[in-house]
Amino acid sequence: MNIKENLKKIKREIPANVKLVAVSKTKPVELIKEAYDAGHKIFGENKAQELSAKYPQLPKDIEWHFIGHLQTNKVKYIAPFVAMIHSVDSFKLLREINKQASKHNRSIDCLLEFHIAEESTKFGLNIEEAEEILLHPDIKTLSNIRICGVMGMATYTDDTQQIHREFAHLHEIFDHLKKKFFSGEPSFKEISMGMSGDYKVAIKEGSTIVRIGSKIFGARD
Ligand SMILES: *Cc1c(COP(=O)(O)O)cnc(C)c1O
């Protein structure tokens, strides 16, 4: 497994306007450093405590993305430094992210996570729940967060047509929210979709951020 070569290959395959988040969950800091030394500076983790343990051991110009399910009581561990949280699924969580970000005088970019998989096991909102969050009377008071777009995970399947459908659905959700709530806000522009097995499909369906782990760092245990 050559991390530098893997990164080079993936970067050749994705358009320049699509951001690559290298998903380093479960991988040791030595391997993250290897990717960093190859010139990559954007990494993703899915556990707050794992991320907050790795953070002090690595260079400070890394842009950290949080991509996993996040409990409100864990926000404080990552709020001092995290750049983007992809997995917002409640107003309560958004309010806590805002509160913790304000303690550190920062702003944290957030994505709303949608349930797009036809299978029923994955986290995420539906449109009605998302609109409820966006219509919350206090939403405008949250000045230390910025809602920048949407995130979703497709079903783990060999059925490429199904994956196309699920990602196309997320793109429709993005367009709907953009029009209804964010038409005047250029920062609402991100569609985070695509992992090692399906990022090429995701890019065809308009992904702006892909989250790739095993294709860079090798299979996880
Ligand atoms: C683990 C994970 C990824 C990366 O998965 P790979 O298949 O290893 O590329 C992407 N997104 C989320 C939310 C993840 O938990």
Side-chain angles (χ1 to χ4, degrees), residues 23 25 46 67 151 153 195-197 211-214 220:
V23 176
K25 63 190 188 193
N46 73 336
I67 62 170
M151 180 271 220
M153 275 191 273
M195 310 178 17
S196 292
R211 311 174 309 269
I212 299 181
S214 43
R220 290 175 298 274

Side-chain angles (χ1 to χ4, degrees), residues 90-91 94 112 125-142 147 176-177 180-182:
S90 71
F91 185 80
L94 212 47
L112 296 174
L125 302 160
N126 59 37
I127 286 261
E128 291 72 33
E129 292 163 336
E131 294 204 353
E132 213 170 295
I133 293 174
L134 296 170
L135 290 168
H136 193 287
D138 295 341
I139 189 105
K140 294 277 189 268
T141 68
L142 306 183
I147 301 175
H176 170 79
L177 297 179
K180 188 159 175 183
F181 296 95
F182 297 98

Side-chain angles (χ1 to χ4, degrees), residues 107-118:
S107 175
I108 297 177
D109 287 347
C110 294
L111 304 179
L112 296 174
E113 179 172 359
F114 284 85
H115 178 263
I116 54 166
E118 290 168 10

